[in-house]
Amino acid sequence: LEALERPGEKALIRAASKYINDYKDIINSQILLSQTPQGQLYPSYRYSLPDFLDALVVIAEEGVGGRKFYLGEPTGAQGVKYGIVNVIMFLAQAYKESIQYDACDENNWELVNDRFPLSNACGQLDMSYQDMHCSEEEAYMECPVKPEMEQYALTSALWFQAPAPFYCGPKSKYPTTGFWDYELGRENNKDAYANSRGRVDVEGCCWWGRGVMQTRGTCNYGKLNYFLGARASREGRPARYPKIDFCEFPQGVCSSDETYGGELQWMIGLFEWADRIQTYDKDGWNFIEKLKEFCDGGYTDFAFVDAVSGILNIGCHDPPCQGFSNSAVEPHNKRERNDTFQRFLNEFKVARNFPPPPPPTPLPSPAPTYEPTEAEPTTAAPTSIGQPTEIPTSSSRPT
């Protein structure tokens, strides 16, 4: 925290980086852990602390597309607490999205009548990823949907006979798709089998979640390409990944030459967080304001976590809600996300290092609390005195 003796954005970044580095043993032994199907924990092969810090410093200092990762207020040592809690929230959500599975591609996890449709590649939780459009003001960045596109996921769930990785392709190649038979550990395409939105094909369904935050949808991939990828390079903007066209090759997030040993998958998630989560402001619910209220209120209002889970996972802050979905749904693993955040918050010892401010001293009341006690009324005349005795009152003889 000494790095914040002089206020400023760079001092804030140094302080946040130092705080995270001070807890690197905790992060490596408790947070960046993946799990085998047998429940054994091991250090993630895909997600490392140095790569995370590299990506974090870049997006906090330089920004991407005018968006920067929020690391607090440069107003003194206490200002960084908002940024630290923002980092912890990001890591908790990332853990539930991808780190615990050591995965880059979205898993086929949603059952429809006790079966895993292969068309879940088109969308889960009643979503259609190819229809996750940008706002009218940002529509020029969106990726076009090309029916002929073919993509093949690299990773999938690791439990015994779990569904295979997602794929997409035209109806000319895959007229209909069936389901994953987890008892036999293979596809069953004998009959068409629909996902929750009724899809029985995978044409145009190449926009499933990828990266540490499972970034999905044509709008998000379009923004990646516009600010970080080949389109940025073609149009003369700074491009961190100029060789990856995220609209032509969305699988480049997980399967490109820059995927391993670098910060690409972290950067994709950090950019989405800065662009979509930190800017969320709907129906009186503002992310940055709620983050500060959570910290200043003593780190106990965990409804804040459920709201953030909803924004990230389904696009709305008051689940069950509609957001990106066709109906009101809950975020996937909402309870586990909340529990993970609380565990990480304790691991980072935030409440001890940044105790919440004491409650304000109550102001004095404008009038006395109680009525004054009534005094004994005075008499009209002096109180009478008894007549003196005729002889002195006897007293004991001195000893």
Side-chain angles (χ1 to χ4, degrees), residues 291-365:
L291 171 65
K292 291 180 178 179
E293 288 176 11
F294 174 79
C295 297
D296 294 338
Y299 317 102
T300 58
D301 183 8
F302 295 110
F304 170 62
V305 188
D306 292 339
V308 176
S309 298
I311 297 166
L312 174 69
N313 202 223
I314 55 178
C316 45
H317 70 274
D318 52 350
C321 49
Q322 189 166 344
F324 302 134
S325 303
N326 198 43
S327 59
V329 295
E330 292 278 4
H332 186 219
N333 289 332
K334 183 177 79 170
R335 180 69 262 169
E336 290 87 345
R337 291 171 191 267
N338 203 313
D339 291 343
T340 299
F341 173 77
Q342 293 186 47
R343 179 167 67 86
F344 288 6
L345 196 69
N346 290 331
E347 297 284 3
F348 275 91
K349 297 180 173 56
V350 172
R352 188 188 72 180
N353 292 324
F354 303 103
T361 305
L363 296 174
S365 56

Side-chain angles (χ1 to χ4, degrees), residues 79-96:
V80 74
K81 69 181 178 183
Y82 307 120
I84 296 300
V85 173
N86 194 29
V87 168
I88 293 170
M89 180 68 79
F90 175 88
L91 289 173
Q93 298 288 344
Y95 181 83
K96 294 307 297 181

Side-chain angles (χ1 to χ4, degrees), residues 45-48 51 102-105 154-155 210-212 241 244 246 249-268:
Y45 296 129
R46 189 174 294 276
Y47 301 106
S48 73
D51 290 342
D102 216 5
C104 180
D105 292 283
L154 179 68
T155 65
R210 299 178 178 91
V212 73
Y241 312 108
I244 305 176
F246 293 104
F249 184 42
Q251 190 56 32
V253 174
C254 299
S255 303
S256 72
D257 293 339
E258 297 181 63
T259 293
Y260 294 99
E263 28 82 326
L264 170 60
Q265 293 171 60
W266 284 112
M267 181 64 76
I268 301 305

Side-chain angles (χ1 to χ4, degrees), residues 145-343:
V145 176
K146 297 183 177 181
E148 69 277 10
M149 180 184 285
E150 295 185 46
Q151 300 284 290
Y152 300 89
L154 179 68
T155 65
S156 62
L158 298 177
W159 51 269
F160 181 63
Q161 295 188 332
F166 281 143
Y167 60 87
C168 64
K171 291 180 183 178
S172 58
K173 186 171 184 176
Y174 307 107
T176 60
T177 52
F179 64 93
W180 180 263
D181 189 328
Y182 54 84
E183 293 181 350
L184 298 177
R186 66 188 184 193
E187 292 183 6
N188 183 333
N189 286 307
K190 182 178 180 181
D191 297 305
Y193 198 86
N195 73 351
S196 60
R197 289 288 292 267
R199 290 293 299 265
V200 293
D201 65 284
V202 290
E203 185 174 272
C205 296
C206 306
W207 312 102
W208 58 78
R210 299 178 178 91
V212 73
M213 207 52 71
Q214 297 290 280
T215 297
R216 55 179 68 87
T218 52
C219 179
N220 286 327
Y221 281 98
K223 288 184 175 182
L224 293 178
N225 208 36
Y226 188 86
F227 290 118
L228 289 165
R231 183 177 175 184
S233 179
R234 287 195 303 268
E235 297 178 359
R237 290 183 298 279
R240 195 163 186 84
Y241 312 108
K243 296 181 180 179
I244 305 176
D245 191 317
F246 293 104
C247 287
E248 295 291 334
F249 184 42
Q251 190 56 32
V253 174
C254 299
S255 303
S256 72
D257 293 339
E258 297 181 63
T259 293
Y260 294 99
E263 28 82 326
L264 170 60
Q265 293 171 60
W266 284 112
M267 181 64 76
I268 301 305
L270 287 165
F271 171 64
E272 181 180 1
W273 193 268
D275 178 63
R276 193 168 68 80
I277 310 304
Q278 290 179 181
T279 62
Y280 187 91
D281 186 4
K282 293 182 181 178
D283 300 326
W285 203 100
N286 179 283
F287 175 82
I288 297 297
E289 290 178 1
K290 293 295 182 181
L291 171 65
K292 291 180 178 179
E293 288 176 11
F294 174 79
C295 297
D296 294 338
Y299 317 102
T300 58
D301 183 8
F302 295 110
F304 170 62
V305 188
D306 292 339
V308 176
S309 298
I311 297 166
L312 174 69
N313 202 223
I314 55 178
C316 45
H317 70 274
D318 52 350
C321 49
Q322 189 166 344
F324 302 134
S325 303
N326 198 43
S327 59
V329 295
E330 292 278 4
H332 186 219
N333 289 332
K334 183 177 79 170
R335 180 69 262 169
E336 290 87 345
R337 291 171 191 267
N338 203 313
D339 291 343
T340 299
F341 173 77
Q342 293 186 47
R343 179 167 67 86

